[in-house]
Amino acid sequence: MASIELPKPETDSSTSVERAIATRASRRSFTRTPVTLTDVSQLLWAAQGVTHVREGTKMRAVPSAGATYPLTAFLEVAPEGCPELEPGLYRYASAHHRLESELETAVHGELTRAALDQEVIRDAPATIVLAANADRTRRQYPDHGDRYVHMEAGHAAQNVHLVCESRDLCSCPVGAFSDDDVAAVLELPARLEALYLVPFGHGTTDQ
């Protein structure tokens, strides 16, 4: 499995959190301008990157009930979506801040169809897929595990949306898709359930 080291994430920018919140909006139109590996690095780090170590545990950028960390972030890259990456599917290895190649062939058309042929997926140069192994959290919290997993997916996606704002990128939350078809297209293991798609890229001026 090929590994791709990602640029070190930046922890400062000229955009305040308050400004990113104020300007954040769901934007569904993208230009053909590709995204960069630095963009990818920042967004995946915001979703699931390690921010500090506490008592031997690598703590990530989003709250997680009991530090169970059920989420896995994948990156789907369209043809010509990112000059530094071949089209296909990658898994974000958060502990090492790198990409692991999962599918070495383009699945962009198939993912678009699995997402009910939405143009926002079709036109995006790349999409982050958040998938969860909910059992990791259910075992520790049998009464509320599912709730905590869904909350965590929301935390991760919002981080991505806000960092997109700070980098002049557009993004859109997508929850309308066929669970079975997305799992089949991405060849997800049975333990993982796709919860959230975040297509992102450079936006058009008419939004």
Side-chain angles (χ1 to χ4, degrees), residues 27 41 63-64 67 76 89 127 137 163 179 193-194:
R27 301 182 177 92
S41 172
S64 180
E76 183 272 324
L89 183 73
T127 297
T137 306
V163 172
D179 295 17
E193 177 188 5

Side-chain angles (χ1 to χ4, degrees), residues 76 89 103 107-118 121 129 175-189 192-195 197:
E76 183 272 324
L89 183 73
L103 297 175
V107 293
H108 193 70
E110 291 86 347
L111 182 60
T112 299
R113 287 188 286 275
L116 313 180
D117 289 314
Q118 294 180 74
I121 299 292
V129 181
F177 52 84
S178 165
D179 295 17
D180 291 341
D181 289 349
V182 168
V185 167
L186 304 184
E187 299 183 14
L188 296 180
L192 290 180
E193 177 188 5
L195 296 180
L197 308 182

Side-chain angles (χ1 to χ4, degrees), residues 84-106:
E84 298 101 329
L85 295 173
E86 294 294 325
L89 183 73
Y90 301 84
R91 177 178 58 84
Y92 177 54
S94 61
H96 306 287
H97 191 59
R98 67 189 181 202
L99 295 175
E100 304 286 355
S101 178
E102 293 284 320
L103 297 175
E104 296 181 350
T105 184

Side-chain angles (χ1 to χ4, degrees), residues 28-186:
R28 297 172 173 81
S29 299
F30 303 102
T31 68
R32 296 181 64 85
T33 303
V35 295
T36 68
L37 196 63
T38 299
D39 293 328
V40 166
S41 172
Q42 287 297 119
L43 296 184
L44 289 173
W45 173 78
Q48 284 291 282
V50 173
T51 56
H52 62 287
V53 178
R54 186 174 67 196
E55 298 179 354
T57 299
K58 292 183 177 180
M59 310 300 287
R60 302 185 191 176
V62 298
S64 180
T68 51
Y69 297 120
L71 298 185
T72 299
F74 294 90
L75 177 75
E76 183 272 324
V77 180
E80 301 181 356
C82 178
E84 298 101 329
L85 295 173
E86 294 294 325
L89 183 73
Y90 301 84
R91 177 178 58 84
Y92 177 54
S94 61
H96 306 287
H97 191 59
R98 67 189 181 202
L99 295 175
E100 304 286 355
S101 178
E102 293 284 320
L103 297 175
E104 296 181 350
T105 184
V107 293
H108 193 70
E110 291 86 347
L111 182 60
T112 299
R113 287 188 286 275
L116 313 180
D117 289 314
Q118 294 180 74
E119 292 181 1
V120 68
I121 299 292
R122 183 198 67 194
D123 296 341
T127 297
I128 291 174
V129 181
L130 298 175
N133 177 0
D135 284 343
R136 290 177 60 91
T137 306
R138 290 186 188 123
R139 283 193 292 267
Q140 191 162 335
Y141 302 100
D143 293 333
H144 299 104
D146 286 339
R147 178 189 301 173
Y148 296 156
V149 171
H150 293 152
M151 289 169 61
E152 189 167 336
H155 299 323
Q158 182 71 344
N159 276 7
V160 172
H161 296 311
L162 294 179
V163 172
C164 279
E165 288 297 316
S166 74
R167 300 187 66 82
D168 293 323
L169 295 170
C170 295
S171 64
C172 182
V174 173
F177 52 84
S178 165
D179 295 17
D180 291 341
D181 289 349
V182 168
V185 167
L186 304 184

